[in-house]
Amino acid sequence: MVVRLALSNDEIDRLFRALADPTRRDIVRRTLIAEATVSELADHYAMSWAAVQKHVAVLEGAGLVSKHARGRERMVRGNPAQIQRAQALLDSYEQLWRARVDRLDALFADDA
Amino acid sequence: MVVRLALSNDEIDRLFRALADPTRRDIVRRTLIAEATVSELADHYAMSWAAVQKHVAVLEGAGLVSKHARGRERMVRGNPAQIQRAQALLDSYEQLWRARVDRLDALFADDA
DNA sequence: CTATTGTACAACCAAATGGTTGTACGACTT
DNA sequence: AAGTCGTACAACCATTTGGTTGTACAATAG
């Protein structure tokens, strides 16, 4: 599946920033496997409920998870599309390098 | 090309943290296309030389670029292998989600 | 030899981050 | 109706981050 939507510079910042924390990565992991409430998530970490709530908010701001109300609970769900956008981003960097290798190859081919 | 080497939690933190800044991403971009000295890089940004030098140090700490001495200059070169490690990481998250989809599919298949 | 260039690094500062506790409130339970 | 549960958010604090200027030094140029 190919991802199309482009991200602004700020969105990219938030995306990678959100991924640069082990607790947040673990929340993404868990919620990609199965959705969970903030309280359920908080049980797994050695920090206050409020701290976990903040991490979820950061992930939400980065588009990596979404929250859906269900009664008084908020179900947190991982968003694979945003992971794919990050992948697409990194892929574009790799392409730059490949292009450079190709240029160098062409140079040597000329020499031969 | 498949990347094997595993990264520690701290290394992953540093990797994504390093990518969460537009100046640093631009340095990665430039040095993947062609290596450059720190001074050459600094010319492109509206900040002091020292600030750019710090950004390069962060990228180096994250393994995204490497520096090689050449006379009094330090050539900065982007490291595609580290980009690929980041990709592999994100891919593992996407796999989790695919596994979940497969489980749900199996569930519905049982129902049918 | 002297001057200049490219680099490294320390000290400092403002803002952001990651954590805490406390308060508030709507939604279920009894 | 009263109590509890899950959530949200503000205020606060220590540390980290992203920038600055200033000093130092090795390599090259004149």
Side-chain angles (χ1 to χ4, degrees), chain A residues 27 29-38 40-41 66-68 70 74-78, chain B residues 100 103:
Chain A
I27 292 173
R29 185 184 64 77
R30 291 194 126 93
T31 56
L32 277 172
I33 293 172
E35 59 178 12
T37 67
V38 182
E40 283 168 356
L41 290 171
S66 55
K67 275 192 283 196
H68 309 271
R70 189 151 79 195
R74 303 303 151 101
M75 305 309 295
V76 181
R77 189 181 311 168
Chain B
R100 161 181 163 186
R103 277 200 310 281

mmCIF file of all heavy atoms in Angstrom, chain A residues 27 29-38 40-41 66-68 70 74-78, chain B residues 100 103:
data_model
loop_
_atom_site.group_PDB
_atom_site.id
_atom_site.type_symbol
_atom_site.label_atom_id
_atom_site.label_comp_id
_atom_site.label_asym_id
_atom_site.label_seq_id
_atom_site.Cartn_x
_atom_site.Cartn_y
_atom_site.Cartn_z
ATOM 1 N N ILE A 27 3.583 2.329 23.552
ATOM 2 C CA ILE A 27 2.145 2.599 23.434
ATOM 3 C C ILE A 27 1.703 2.388 21.982
ATOM 4 O O ILE A 27 0.655 1.781 21.731
ATOM 5 C CB ILE A 27 1.822 4.039 23.897
ATOM 6 C CG1 ILE A 27 2.042 4.160 25.413
ATOM 7 C CG2 ILE A 27 0.394 4.427 23.524
ATOM 8 C CD1 ILE A 27 1.904 5.582 25.951
ATOM 9 N N ARG A 29 3.118 0.430 19.818
ATOM 10 C CA ARG A 29 3.157 -1.016 19.602
ATOM 11 C C ARG A 29 1.866 -1.673 20.115
ATOM 12 O O ARG A 29 1.186 -2.385 19.372
ATOM 13 C CB ARG A 29 4.369 -1.594 20.343
ATOM 14 C CG ARG A 29 4.629 -3.074 20.117
ATOM 15 C CD ARG A 29 5.777 -3.570 20.965
ATOM 16 N NE ARG A 29 5.515 -3.506 22.398
ATOM 17 C CZ ARG A 29 4.743 -4.365 23.065
ATOM 18 N NH1 ARG A 29 4.151 -5.353 22.420
ATOM 19 N NH2 ARG A 29 4.557 -4.239 24.361
ATOM 20 N N ARG A 30 1.548 -1.398 21.380
ATOM 21 C CA ARG A 30 0.370 -2.007 21.996
ATOM 22 C C ARG A 30 -0.909 -1.676 21.245
ATOM 23 O O ARG A 30 -1.761 -2.539 21.024
ATOM 24 C CB ARG A 30 0.219 -1.520 23.441
ATOM 25 C CG ARG A 30 1.284 -2.015 24.375
ATOM 26 C CD ARG A 30 0.868 -1.781 25.834
ATOM 27 N NE ARG A 30 0.947 -3.020 26.590
ATOM 28 C CZ ARG A 30 2.023 -3.390 27.279
ATOM 29 N NH1 ARG A 30 3.095 -2.631 27.324
ATOM 30 N NH2 ARG A 30 2.036 -4.534 27.930
ATOM 31 N N THR A 31 -1.048 -0.394 20.862
ATOM 32 C CA THR A 31 -2.315 0.033 20.263
ATOM 33 C C THR A 31 -2.413 -0.343 18.779
ATOM 34 O O THR A 31 -3.487 -0.243 18.197
ATOM 35 C CB THR A 31 -2.535 1.549 20.434
ATOM 36 O OG1 THR A 31 -1.428 2.250 19.872
ATOM 37 C CG2 THR A 31 -2.660 1.894 21.906
ATOM 38 N N LEU A 32 -1.277 -0.750 18.205
ATOM 39 C CA LEU A 32 -1.352 -1.286 16.843
ATOM 40 C C LEU A 32 -1.834 -2.733 16.904
ATOM 41 O O LEU A 32 -2.528 -3.215 16.007
ATOM 42 C CB LEU A 32 0.025 -1.243 16.170
ATOM 43 C CG LEU A 32 0.432 0.087 15.532
ATOM 44 C CD1 LEU A 32 1.864 0.040 15.079
ATOM 45 C CD2 LEU A 32 -0.490 0.454 14.371
ATOM 46 N N ILE A 33 -1.478 -3.417 17.991
ATOM 47 C CA ILE A 33 -1.888 -4.812 18.171
ATOM 48 C C ILE A 33 -3.365 -4.882 18.550
ATOM 49 O O ILE A 33 -4.122 -5.673 18.016
ATOM 50 C CB ILE A 33 -1.016 -5.495 19.253
ATOM 51 C CG1 ILE A 33 0.430 -5.615 18.731
ATOM 52 C CG2 ILE A 33 -1.572 -6.862 19.619
ATOM 53 C CD1 ILE A 33 1.420 -6.083 19.769
ATOM 54 N N ALA A 34 -3.764 -4.003 19.488
ATOM 55 C CA ALA A 34 -5.171 -3.957 19.906
ATOM 56 C C ALA A 34 -5.442 -2.640 20.605
ATOM 57 O O ALA A 34 -4.589 -2.151 21.353
ATOM 58 C CB ALA A 34 -5.475 -5.123 20.845
ATOM 59 N N GLU A 35 -6.589 -2.045 20.380
ATOM 60 C CA GLU A 35 -6.865 -0.758 21.018
ATOM 61 C C GLU A 35 -6.994 -0.944 22.521
ATOM 62 O O GLU A 35 -7.281 -2.043 23.007
ATOM 63 C CB GLU A 35 -8.112 -0.101 20.416
ATOM 64 C CG GLU A 35 -9.382 -0.909 20.536
ATOM 65 C CD GLU A 35 -10.582 -0.158 19.947
ATOM 66 O OE1 GLU A 35 -10.380 0.857 19.264
ATOM 67 O OE2 GLU A 35 -11.717 -0.593 20.193
ATOM 68 N N ALA A 36 -6.742 0.143 23.264
ATOM 69 C CA ALA A 36 -6.748 0.066 24.726
ATOM 70 C C ALA A 36 -7.151 1.421 25.293
ATOM 71 O O ALA A 36 -7.017 2.450 24.632
ATOM 72 C CB ALA A 36 -5.353 -0.297 25.229
ATOM 73 N N THR A 37 -7.647 1.432 26.534
ATOM 74 C CA THR A 37 -7.959 2.701 27.186
ATOM 75 C C THR A 37 -6.668 3.277 27.761
ATOM 76 O O THR A 37 -5.676 2.560 27.935
ATOM 77 C CB THR A 37 -8.957 2.515 28.336
ATOM 78 O OG1 THR A 37 -8.317 1.768 29.372
ATOM 79 C CG2 THR A 37 -10.179 1.756 27.871
ATOM 80 N N VAL A 38 -6.699 4.566 28.069
ATOM 81 C CA VAL A 38 -5.519 5.209 28.652
ATOM 82 C C VAL A 38 -5.177 4.534 29.978
ATOM 83 O O VAL A 38 -3.994 4.307 30.280
ATOM 84 C CB VAL A 38 -5.770 6.719 28.860
ATOM 85 C CG1 VAL A 38 -4.529 7.385 29.428
ATOM 86 C CG2 VAL A 38 -6.163 7.387 27.555
ATOM 87 N N GLU A 40 -5.733 1.414 30.943
ATOM 88 C CA GLU A 40 -5.115 0.114 30.681
ATOM 89 C C GLU A 40 -3.646 0.292 30.320
ATOM 90 O O GLU A 40 -2.773 -0.417 30.827
ATOM 91 C CB GLU A 40 -5.842 -0.598 29.525
ATOM 92 C CG GLU A 40 -7.170 -1.223 29.918
ATOM 93 C CD GLU A 40 -8.006 -1.658 28.708
ATOM 94 O OE1 GLU A 40 -7.580 -1.400 27.558
ATOM 95 O OE2 GLU A 40 -9.075 -2.233 28.926
ATOM 96 N N LEU A 41 -3.374 1.254 29.457
ATOM 97 C CA LEU A 41 -1.995 1.525 29.060
ATOM 98 C C LEU A 41 -1.155 1.896 30.280
ATOM 99 O O LEU A 41 -0.053 1.382 30.474
ATOM 100 C CB LEU A 41 -1.952 2.657 28.027
ATOM 101 C CG LEU A 41 -2.508 2.316 26.643
ATOM 102 C CD1 LEU A 41 -2.604 3.567 25.778
ATOM 103 C CD2 LEU A 41 -1.641 1.266 25.960
ATOM 104 N N SER A 66 -5.113 7.525 17.538
ATOM 105 C CA SER A 66 -6.323 8.341 17.598
ATOM 106 C C SER A 66 -7.140 7.864 18.781
ATOM 107 O O SER A 66 -7.028 6.705 19.192
ATOM 108 C CB SER A 66 -7.117 8.205 16.300
ATOM 109 O OG SER A 66 -7.380 6.847 16.033
ATOM 110 N N LYS A 67 -7.942 8.757 19.356
ATOM 111 C CA LYS A 67 -8.786 8.406 20.493
ATOM 112 C C LYS A 67 -10.242 8.455 20.089
ATOM 113 O O LYS A 67 -10.667 9.389 19.409
ATOM 114 C CB LYS A 67 -8.538 9.370 21.655
ATOM 115 C CG LYS A 67 -7.368 8.968 22.524
ATOM 116 C CD LYS A 67 -7.318 9.747 23.823
ATOM 117 C CE LYS A 67 -6.799 11.145 23.622
ATOM 118 N NZ LYS A 67 -6.384 11.772 24.897
ATOM 119 N N HIS A 68 -10.986 7.465 20.540
ATOM 120 C CA HIS A 68 -12.413 7.407 20.246
ATOM 121 C C HIS A 68 -13.159 7.188 21.557
ATOM 122 O O HIS A 68 -12.846 6.260 22.291
ATOM 123 C CB HIS A 68 -12.704 6.252 19.282
ATOM 124 C CG HIS A 68 -11.819 6.264 18.074
ATOM 125 N ND1 HIS A 68 -12.132 6.936 16.922
ATOM 126 C CD2 HIS A 68 -10.595 5.725 17.858
ATOM 127 C CE1 HIS A 68 -11.152 6.798 16.039
ATOM 128 N NE2 HIS A 68 -10.203 6.059 16.587
ATOM 129 N N ARG A 70 -15.791 5.956 24.155
ATOM 130 C CA ARG A 70 -16.738 4.846 24.292
ATOM 131 C C ARG A 70 -17.219 4.891 25.735
ATOM 132 O O ARG A 70 -16.507 4.427 26.631
ATOM 133 C CB ARG A 70 -16.071 3.507 23.964
ATOM 134 C CG ARG A 70 -17.093 2.398 23.880
ATOM 135 C CD ARG A 70 -16.686 1.285 22.922
ATOM 136 N NE ARG A 70 -15.716 0.379 23.514
ATOM 137 C CZ ARG A 70 -14.984 -0.491 22.813
ATOM 138 N NH1 ARG A 70 -15.103 -0.534 21.490
ATOM 139 N NH2 ARG A 70 -14.126 -1.294 23.408
ATOM 140 N N ARG A 74 -11.809 6.268 26.825
ATOM 141 C CA ARG A 74 -11.289 6.707 25.529
ATOM 142 C C ARG A 74 -10.445 5.583 24.971
ATOM 143 O O ARG A 74 -9.400 5.255 25.535
ATOM 144 C CB ARG A 74 -10.417 7.973 25.687
ATOM 145 C CG ARG A 74 -11.133 9.115 26.342
ATOM 146 C CD ARG A 74 -12.410 9.483 25.579
ATOM 147 N NE ARG A 74 -13.394 10.047 26.496
ATOM 148 C CZ ARG A 74 -13.641 11.325 26.616
ATOM 149 N NH1 ARG A 74 -12.988 12.171 25.879
ATOM 150 N NH2 ARG A 74 -14.529 11.760 27.473
ATOM 151 N N MET A 75 -10.886 5.027 23.894
ATOM 152 C CA MET A 75 -10.123 3.957 23.260
ATOM 153 C C MET A 75 -8.998 4.567 22.435
ATOM 154 O O MET A 75 -9.233 5.454 21.614
ATOM 155 C CB MET A 75 -11.020 3.112 22.358
ATOM 156 C CG MET A 75 -12.239 2.532 23.070
ATOM 157 S SD MET A 75 -11.821 1.673 24.617
ATOM 158 C CE MET A 75 -10.843 0.295 23.987
ATOM 159 N N VAL A 76 -7.789 4.085 22.675
ATOM 160 C CA VAL A 76 -6.626 4.555 21.923
ATOM 161 C C VAL A 76 -6.284 3.500 20.875
ATOM 162 O O VAL A 76 -6.173 2.314 21.201
ATOM 163 C CB VAL A 76 -5.409 4.780 22.854
ATOM 164 C CG1 VAL A 76 -4.219 5.302 22.062
ATOM 165 C CG2 VAL A 76 -5.775 5.724 23.988
ATOM 166 N N ARG A 77 -6.128 3.958 19.645
ATOM 167 C CA ARG A 77 -5.887 3.039 18.545
ATOM 168 C C ARG A 77 -4.685 3.523 17.741
ATOM 169 O O ARG A 77 -4.620 4.701 17.380
ATOM 170 C CB ARG A 77 -7.124 2.987 17.660
ATOM 171 C CG ARG A 77 -7.102 1.903 16.592
ATOM 172 C CD ARG A 77 -8.373 1.968 15.768
ATOM 173 N NE ARG A 77 -9.580 2.040 16.613
ATOM 174 C CZ ARG A 77 -10.791 2.328 16.150
ATOM 175 N NH1 ARG A 77 -10.962 2.609 14.869
ATOM 176 N NH2 ARG A 77 -11.819 2.361 16.971
ATOM 177 N N GLY A 78 -3.748 2.633 17.476
ATOM 178 C CA GLY A 78 -2.572 2.980 16.658
ATOM 179 C C GLY A 78 -2.986 3.251 15.228
ATOM 180 O O GLY A 78 -3.945 2.655 14.732
ATOM 181 N N ARG B 100 -2.523 -8.073 13.334
ATOM 182 C CA ARG B 100 -3.839 -7.826 13.946
ATOM 183 C C ARG B 100 -4.942 -7.946 12.910
ATOM 184 O O ARG B 100 -5.976 -8.572 13.161
ATOM 185 C CB ARG B 100 -3.838 -6.430 14.574
ATOM 186 C CG ARG B 100 -5.213 -5.865 14.831
ATOM 187 C CD ARG B 100 -5.093 -4.496 15.424
ATOM 188 N NE ARG B 100 -6.302 -3.710 15.347
ATOM 189 C CZ ARG B 100 -6.366 -2.428 15.707
ATOM 190 N NH1 ARG B 100 -5.281 -1.828 16.146
ATOM 191 N NH2 ARG B 100 -7.485 -1.765 15.627
ATOM 192 N N ARG B 103 -5.533 -11.518 12.223
ATOM 193 C CA ARG B 103 -6.292 -12.165 13.300
ATOM 194 C C ARG B 103 -7.771 -11.862 13.162
ATOM 195 O O ARG B 103 -8.621 -12.742 13.292
ATOM 196 C CB ARG B 103 -5.806 -11.666 14.665
ATOM 197 C CG ARG B 103 -4.570 -12.373 15.191
ATOM 198 C CD ARG B 103 -4.428 -12.201 16.699
ATOM 199 N NE ARG B 103 -4.537 -10.832 17.147
ATOM 200 C CZ ARG B 103 -3.556 -9.926 17.063
ATOM 201 N NH1 ARG B 103 -2.397 -10.271 16.532
ATOM 202 N NH2 ARG B 103 -3.739 -8.711 17.496
#
